[in-house]
Tab-separated table of all heavy atoms in Angstrom:
chain	number	residue	atom	x	y	z
A	1	PHE	N	-58.608	39.579	-131.235
A	1	PHE	CA	-57.724	40.655	-131.618
A	1	PHE	C	-58.014	41.238	-133.064
A	1	PHE	O	-57.701	42.367	-133.335
A	1	PHE	CB	-56.265	40.263	-131.489
A	1	PHE	CG	-55.817	40.422	-130.035
A	1	PHE	CD1	-55.821	39.363	-129.099
A	1	PHE	CD2	-55.400	41.709	-129.601
A	1	PHE	CE1	-55.443	39.551	-127.771
A	1	PHE	CE2	-54.988	41.904	-128.272
A	1	PHE	CZ	-54.991	40.837	-127.361
A	2	ARG	N	-58.493	40.368	-133.878
A	2	ARG	CA	-58.907	40.877	-135.278
A	2	ARG	C	-59.914	41.938	-135.174
A	2	ARG	O	-59.821	42.989	-135.784
A	2	ARG	CB	-59.396	39.779	-136.083
A	2	ARG	CG	-59.552	40.109	-137.602
A	2	ARG	CD	-60.125	38.897	-138.420
A	2	ARG	NE	-59.172	37.818	-138.263
A	2	ARG	CZ	-59.621	36.566	-137.848
A	2	ARG	NH1	-60.895	36.340	-137.568
A	2	ARG	NH2	-58.808	35.573	-137.766
A	3	HIS	N	-60.936	41.808	-134.217
A	3	HIS	CA	-61.945	42.749	-134.023
A	3	HIS	C	-61.382	43.981	-133.335
A	3	HIS	O	-61.704	45.147	-133.758
A	3	HIS	CB	-63.081	42.174	-133.229
A	3	HIS	CG	-63.916	41.107	-133.933
A	3	HIS	ND1	-64.382	41.268	-135.194
A	3	HIS	CD2	-64.346	39.934	-133.489
A	3	HIS	CE1	-65.116	40.238	-135.580
A	3	HIS	NE2	-65.032	39.380	-134.530
A	4	ILE	N	-60.578	43.730	-132.330
A	4	ILE	CA	-60.004	44.904	-131.544
A	4	ILE	C	-59.143	45.747	-132.517
A	4	ILE	O	-59.211	46.969	-132.485
A	4	ILE	CB	-59.159	44.395	-130.383
A	4	ILE	CG1	-60.149	43.777	-129.317
A	4	ILE	CG2	-58.384	45.531	-129.792
A	4	ILE	CD1	-59.415	43.163	-128.184
A	5	PHE	N	-58.272	45.102	-133.317
A	5	PHE	CA	-57.417	45.869	-134.144
A	5	PHE	C	-58.173	46.644	-135.260
A	5	PHE	O	-57.828	47.747	-135.618
A	5	PHE	CB	-56.325	44.987	-134.767
A	5	PHE	CG	-55.396	44.436	-133.780
A	5	PHE	CD1	-54.660	43.266	-134.007
A	5	PHE	CD2	-55.044	45.079	-132.642
A	5	PHE	CE1	-53.790	42.749	-133.140
A	5	PHE	CE2	-54.132	44.603	-131.708
A	5	PHE	CZ	-53.450	43.470	-131.962
A	6	ALA	N	-59.241	46.039	-135.763
A	6	ALA	CA	-60.119	46.713	-136.691
A	6	ALA	C	-60.700	47.979	-136.022
A	6	ALA	O	-60.820	49.069	-136.693
A	6	ALA	CB	-61.202	45.819	-137.212
A	7	MET	N	-61.075	47.951	-134.825
A	7	MET	CA	-61.710	49.038	-134.087
A	7	MET	C	-60.693	50.126	-133.837
A	7	MET	O	-60.963	51.326	-134.023
A	7	MET	CB	-62.346	48.579	-132.764
A	7	MET	CG	-63.562	47.632	-132.937
A	7	MET	SD	-64.109	47.069	-131.311
A	7	MET	CE	-65.549	46.138	-131.808
A	8	VAL	N	-59.463	49.783	-133.343
A	8	VAL	CA	-58.445	50.736	-132.910
A	8	VAL	C	-57.698	51.330	-134.125
A	8	VAL	O	-57.467	52.516	-134.117
A	8	VAL	CB	-57.522	50.086	-131.963
A	8	VAL	CG1	-56.411	51.079	-131.538
A	8	VAL	CG2	-58.235	49.675	-130.624
A	9	PHE	N	-57.344	50.421	-135.072
A	9	PHE	CA	-56.460	50.874	-136.150
A	9	PHE	C	-57.163	50.982	-137.534
A	9	PHE	O	-56.586	51.546	-138.449
A	9	PHE	CB	-55.244	49.933	-136.287
A	9	PHE	CG	-54.399	49.851	-135.059
A	9	PHE	CD1	-54.379	48.731	-134.257
A	9	PHE	CD2	-53.628	50.959	-134.668
A	9	PHE	CE1	-53.594	48.686	-133.109
A	9	PHE	CE2	-52.848	50.877	-133.533
A	9	PHE	CZ	-52.838	49.761	-132.750
A	10	GLY	N	-58.316	50.459	-137.621
A	10	GLY	CA	-59.040	50.500	-138.984
A	10	GLY	C	-59.515	51.866	-139.368
A	10	GLY	O	-59.682	52.795	-138.517
A	11	GLU	N	-59.944	51.994	-140.568
A	11	GLU	CA	-60.659	53.136	-141.088
A	11	GLU	C	-62.017	53.167	-140.329
A	11	GLU	O	-62.458	52.134	-139.739
A	11	GLU	CB	-60.882	53.091	-142.560
A	11	GLU	CG	-59.641	53.200	-143.395
A	11	GLU	CD	-59.925	53.320	-144.858
A	11	GLU	OE1	-61.008	53.669	-145.273
A	11	GLU	OE2	-58.981	53.085	-145.654
A	12	LEU	N	-62.635	54.316	-140.342
A	12	LEU	CA	-63.848	54.405	-139.572
A	12	LEU	C	-64.943	53.355	-139.970
A	12	LEU	O	-65.514	52.757	-139.089
A	12	LEU	CB	-64.521	55.820	-139.813
A	12	LEU	CG	-65.754	56.129	-139.042
A	12	LEU	CD1	-65.600	55.949	-137.530
A	12	LEU	CD2	-66.348	57.517	-139.423
A	13	ASP	N	-65.123	53.092	-141.258
A	13	ASP	CA	-66.091	52.110	-141.681
A	13	ASP	C	-65.696	50.693	-141.094
A	13	ASP	O	-66.539	49.908	-140.732
A	13	ASP	CB	-66.173	52.051	-143.147
A	13	ASP	CG	-67.014	53.231	-143.727
A	13	ASP	OD1	-67.710	53.895	-142.923
A	13	ASP	OD2	-66.988	53.432	-144.956
A	14	GLU	N	-64.343	50.375	-141.102
A	14	GLU	CA	-64.016	49.149	-140.588
A	14	GLU	C	-64.289	49.007	-139.109
A	14	GLU	O	-64.694	47.929	-138.573
A	14	GLU	CB	-62.463	48.957	-140.778
A	14	GLU	CG	-62.002	48.767	-142.240
A	14	GLU	CD	-60.466	48.624	-142.270
A	14	GLU	OE1	-59.973	47.494	-142.070
A	14	GLU	OE2	-59.796	49.637	-142.555
A	15	ALA	N	-63.996	50.097	-138.382
A	15	ALA	CA	-64.302	50.042	-136.933
A	15	ALA	C	-65.816	49.933	-136.635
A	15	ALA	O	-66.183	49.100	-135.732
A	15	ALA	CB	-63.862	51.364	-136.317
A	16	LEU	N	-66.625	50.576	-137.384
A	16	LEU	CA	-68.084	50.473	-137.223
A	16	LEU	C	-68.562	49.132	-137.541
A	16	LEU	O	-69.433	48.586	-136.911
A	16	LEU	CB	-68.756	51.518	-138.103
A	16	LEU	CG	-68.468	52.995	-137.794
A	16	LEU	CD1	-69.190	53.942	-138.680
A	16	LEU	CD2	-68.767	53.335	-136.261
A	17	THR	N	-68.065	48.484	-138.631
A	17	THR	CA	-68.391	47.162	-139.122
A	17	THR	C	-68.122	46.175	-137.977
A	17	THR	O	-68.874	45.259	-137.644
A	17	THR	CB	-67.702	46.824	-140.337
A	17	THR	OG1	-68.210	47.702	-141.423
A	17	THR	CG2	-68.063	45.335	-140.802
A	18	ALA	N	-66.867	46.294	-137.426
A	18	ALA	CA	-66.435	45.354	-136.343
A	18	ALA	C	-67.269	45.528	-135.112
A	18	ALA	O	-67.754	44.514	-134.492
A	18	ALA	CB	-64.975	45.647	-135.993
A	19	ALA	N	-67.609	46.781	-134.814
A	19	ALA	CA	-68.520	47.024	-133.640
A	19	ALA	C	-69.892	46.404	-133.804
A	19	ALA	O	-70.412	45.733	-132.874
A	19	ALA	CB	-68.650	48.567	-133.488
A	20	ARG	N	-70.479	46.559	-134.974
A	20	ARG	CA	-71.818	45.959	-135.144
A	20	ARG	C	-71.784	44.463	-135.187
A	20	ARG	O	-72.672	43.751	-134.744
A	20	ARG	CB	-72.405	46.461	-136.516
A	20	ARG	CG	-72.690	47.990	-136.460
A	20	ARG	CD	-73.321	48.481	-137.771
A	20	ARG	NE	-73.633	49.860	-137.642
A	20	ARG	CZ	-73.196	50.887	-138.326
A	20	ARG	NH1	-72.168	50.642	-139.232
A	20	ARG	NH2	-73.565	52.148	-138.177
A	21	ARG	N	-70.646	43.937	-135.716
A	21	ARG	CA	-70.520	42.446	-135.762
A	21	ARG	C	-70.380	41.852	-134.370
A	21	ARG	O	-71.050	40.875	-134.003
A	21	ARG	CB	-69.311	42.014	-136.609
A	21	ARG	CG	-69.037	40.538	-136.610
A	21	ARG	CD	-67.980	40.189	-137.514
A	21	ARG	NE	-67.607	38.733	-137.433
A	21	ARG	CZ	-68.264	37.736	-137.829
A	21	ARG	NH1	-69.434	37.943	-138.425
A	21	ARG	NH2	-67.893	36.511	-137.678
A	22	VAL	N	-69.562	42.489	-133.598
A	22	VAL	CA	-69.417	42.015	-132.158
A	22	VAL	C	-70.707	42.112	-131.431
A	22	VAL	O	-71.058	41.190	-130.657
A	22	VAL	CB	-68.240	42.780	-131.443
A	22	VAL	CG1	-68.260	42.550	-129.963
A	22	VAL	CG2	-66.848	42.491	-132.066
A	23	HIS	N	-71.442	43.204	-131.601
A	23	HIS	CA	-72.647	43.346	-130.845
A	23	HIS	C	-73.665	42.251	-131.311
A	23	HIS	O	-74.379	41.711	-130.423
A	23	HIS	CB	-73.306	44.763	-131.207
A	23	HIS	CG	-74.523	44.980	-130.392
A	23	HIS	ND1	-75.801	44.634	-130.823
A	23	HIS	CD2	-74.702	45.567	-129.160
A	23	HIS	CE1	-76.699	44.970	-129.889
A	23	HIS	NE2	-76.097	45.550	-128.867
A	24	ARG	N	-73.707	41.964	-132.597
A	24	ARG	CA	-74.684	40.901	-133.081
A	24	ARG	C	-74.213	39.546	-132.432
A	24	ARG	O	-75.175	38.774	-132.055
A	24	ARG	CB	-74.612	40.777	-134.608
A	24	ARG	CG	-75.387	41.904	-135.256
A	24	ARG	CD	-75.642	41.573	-136.736
A	24	ARG	NE	-74.449	41.285	-137.481
A	24	ARG	CZ	-73.705	42.255	-138.102
A	24	ARG	NH1	-74.099	43.523	-138.071
A	24	ARG	NH2	-72.622	41.855	-138.791
A	25	ILE	N	-73.023	39.325	-132.393
A	25	ILE	CA	-72.490	38.035	-131.846
A	25	ILE	C	-72.943	37.961	-130.323
A	25	ILE	O	-73.479	36.977	-129.806
A	25	ILE	CB	-71.023	37.811	-131.918
A	25	ILE	CG1	-70.673	37.607	-133.400
A	25	ILE	CG2	-70.510	36.649	-131.154
A	25	ILE	CD1	-69.145	37.729	-133.683
A	26	HIS	N	-72.692	39.063	-129.598
A	26	HIS	CA	-72.985	39.176	-128.209
A	26	HIS	C	-74.579	39.016	-127.894
A	26	HIS	O	-74.860	38.513	-126.895
A	26	HIS	CB	-72.534	40.475	-127.617
A	26	HIS	CG	-71.062	40.547	-127.394
A	26	HIS	ND1	-70.436	41.655	-126.879
A	26	HIS	CD2	-70.142	39.593	-127.522
A	26	HIS	CE1	-69.160	41.403	-126.784
A	26	HIS	NE2	-68.950	40.169	-127.174
A	27	THR	N	-75.344	39.480	-128.853
A	27	THR	CA	-76.794	39.354	-128.703
A	27	THR	C	-77.295	37.964	-128.529
A	27	THR	O	-78.221	37.719	-127.794
A	27	THR	CB	-77.509	40.029	-129.895
A	27	THR	OG1	-77.170	41.343	-130.048
A	27	THR	CG2	-79.006	39.923	-129.785
A	28	ARG	N	-76.506	37.049	-129.034
A	28	ARG	CA	-76.901	35.584	-129.041
A	28	ARG	C	-76.404	34.939	-127.716
A	28	ARG	O	-76.790	33.743	-127.484
A	28	ARG	CB	-76.466	34.791	-130.191
A	28	ARG	CG	-76.891	35.394	-131.550
A	28	ARG	CD	-76.558	34.391	-132.672
A	28	ARG	NE	-75.141	34.270	-132.881
A	28	ARG	CZ	-74.414	34.972	-133.776
A	28	ARG	NH1	-75.064	35.911	-134.496
A	28	ARG	NH2	-73.116	34.766	-133.995
A	29	ILE	N	-75.584	35.608	-126.927
A	29	ILE	CA	-74.937	35.037	-125.833
A	29	ILE	C	-75.658	35.512	-124.518
A	29	ILE	O	-75.419	36.631	-124.061
A	29	ILE	CB	-73.413	35.450	-125.760
A	29	ILE	CG1	-72.740	34.944	-127.086
A	29	ILE	CG2	-72.748	34.890	-124.582
A	29	ILE	CD1	-71.339	35.341	-127.234
A	30	HIS	N	-76.442	34.644	-123.994
A	30	HIS	CA	-77.131	34.969	-122.703
A	30	HIS	C	-77.476	33.626	-121.992
A	30	HIS	O	-77.544	32.586	-122.630
A	30	HIS	CB	-78.351	35.893	-122.982
A	30	HIS	CG	-79.274	35.313	-124.001
A	30	HIS	ND1	-80.254	34.410	-123.758
A	30	HIS	CD2	-79.401	35.563	-125.342
A	30	HIS	CE1	-80.911	34.087	-124.850
A	30	HIS	NE2	-80.414	34.773	-125.869
A	31	GLY	N	-77.692	33.759	-120.788
A	31	GLY	CA	-78.079	32.529	-119.990
A	31	GLY	C	-78.178	32.893	-118.513
A	31	GLY	O	-78.444	34.066	-118.178
A	32	VAL	N	-77.879	31.975	-117.636
A	32	VAL	CA	-77.832	32.145	-116.157
A	32	VAL	C	-76.579	31.631	-115.609
A	32	VAL	O	-76.016	30.626	-116.045
A	32	VAL	CB	-79.087	31.532	-115.497
A	32	VAL	CG1	-80.373	32.215	-116.007
A	32	VAL	CG2	-79.131	30.015	-115.674
A	33	ILE	N	-76.140	32.262	-114.508
A	33	ILE	CA	-74.984	31.719	-113.746
A	33	ILE	C	-75.582	30.572	-112.926
A	33	ILE	O	-76.434	30.771	-112.070
A	33	ILE	CB	-74.414	32.861	-112.851
A	33	ILE	CG1	-73.853	33.951	-113.776
A	33	ILE	CG2	-73.291	32.249	-111.979
A	33	ILE	CD1	-73.370	35.196	-112.991
């Protein structure tokens, strides 16, 4: 929710920073079912 709230309610730079951070975290998350 810290990331979501930064995206929804933050200044534009805060939203963009959160977006890039989440994407970087997601980049490391992969595997197989």
Side-chain angles (χ1 to χ4, degrees):
F1 275 94
R2 190 180 305 124
H3 291 313
I4 290 174
F5 291 154
M7 292 175 177
V8 174
F9 298 109
E11 295 186 18
L12 180 59
D13 282 347
E14 292 179 83
L16 299 179
T17 297
R20 291 178 176 120
R21 175 172 172 75
V22 169
H23 185 272
R24 285 195 301 272
I25 293 170
H26 283 178
T27 299
R28 302 192 294 267
I29 300 174
H30 52 83
V32 297
I33 296 174

